[in-house]
Amino acid sequence: MKKSTWQDNGIINRYRDMLPLKASTPVVSLGEGSTPLVYSSWLSKSIGEGSEVYIKCEGLNPTGSFKDRGMTVAISKAVERHVRLVVCASTGNTSAAAAAYAAHAGISCAVLLPYGKIATGKLLQAFLYGAKIISLHGNFDDALSIVRQLSKDPKVEIVNSINPLRIEGQKTAAFEVVDELGEAPDFHFLPIGNAGNITAYWRGYREYFTCGKCSILPKMIGFQALGAAPLVFGHIVQDPDTIASAIRIGNPASWRLAASALNQSHGFVDAVTDMEILSAQVQLARKEGIFVEPASAASIAGLLKCVSKHSELPIIRRLKEGARIVCTVTGHGLKDLNTPAGTGMCPIESDATVDSVRNILEIG
């Protein structure tokens, strides 16, 4: 019987010549990538006449977040090197991706989490994929420090975004944007947590530009949660605090590279409040039918903030003058149902009669 080839449709198969892989590198794939780029009429109208806003829906990856792009490359190379244990520090999405791809590869995975600081859906994923989960009485930065030390053992591979192979995989999202639009956007908005994703997108756009596959480079615009905004404040946040658990990071591992991406692209970084994040999460669901976790909504909240509060900045005036904009939403809404936007929602009770339902619906 011929072996099924559906898993060969992942990012390594499509972009292998743009990735640091050998011809002999085994491919560990769950069919990641090729996520939807959805035109948003709501956001386009919010920006102004002639503007086009697209949403890159990374929550449609196999484990529900963009982390799968980097993990397929990192785990494939780990298998090539005969590593038997991969480790990561995580606020949730990295743990789910690492555990899933390690399970698929048949190797062990250990995850270090900040105690009580991970959404239940992400924790359940890591458990079900078979990872060994250690909950630390500390924050994400403490967890990352420990896994750095563990990875000094040659039999142990760290799969956080400090592993350059993670960034290599994640850059393929920028390739997909250009492949679909036929050109790079004028602006690209992203949430920033550990700062690896904005680094990866910028690398992807630059590589495509160098290859002649796009003729412009976008301005990279990053948004952090106000309670966890070290790039905005210019210093480490010792006790980061935000409902957006995936970006609750006070000392990003890719800080330097992200700052470089922002500077080279002539973009900027700003912060949004938890209320702005939750409002954007709800509006995106109700106006476009796209359900994202709170951290993902930071890019949408940031775009709305720019239009409403920073309209006098030259970069924002250009944003409103017929620009093409892409907003990445990084994780699916089912990842995190513990936040206020996901609680307190109760159905309307009704007698089991058509008249009762008609009255509720106000049908004459």
Side-chain angles (χ1 to χ4, degrees), residues 212-295:
K213 295 188 176 183
C214 61
S215 61
I216 64 170
L217 288 170
K219 296 184 186 301
M220 305 301 294
I221 316 294
F223 280 87
Q224 298 190 287
L226 185 60
L231 272 74
V232 178
F233 300 139
H235 60 76
I236 295 170
V237 177
Q238 295 294 344
D239 296 302
D241 182 27
T242 172
I243 56 163
S245 60
I247 54 174
R248 191 189 291 134
I249 296 171
N251 186 15
S254 298
W255 188 332
R256 181 182 59 82
L257 292 171
S260 178
L262 291 163
N263 289 334
Q264 290 176 13
S265 71
H266 305 290
F268 66 88
V269 62
D270 200 354
V272 284
T273 67
D274 281 0
M275 289 303 297
E276 288 171 325
I277 288 172
L278 289 176
S279 175
Q281 181 193 27
V282 172
Q283 288 185 80
L284 185 61
R286 294 182 177 177
K287 295 180 184 294
E288 294 293 359
I290 298 173
F291 182 29
V292 301
E293 65 173 316

Side-chain angles (χ1 to χ4, degrees), residues 348 354-364:
I348 301 169
V354 68
D355 287 340
S356 178
V357 173
R358 277 203 182 104
N359 287 336
I360 292 170
L361 298 178
E362 298 180 352
I363 298 174

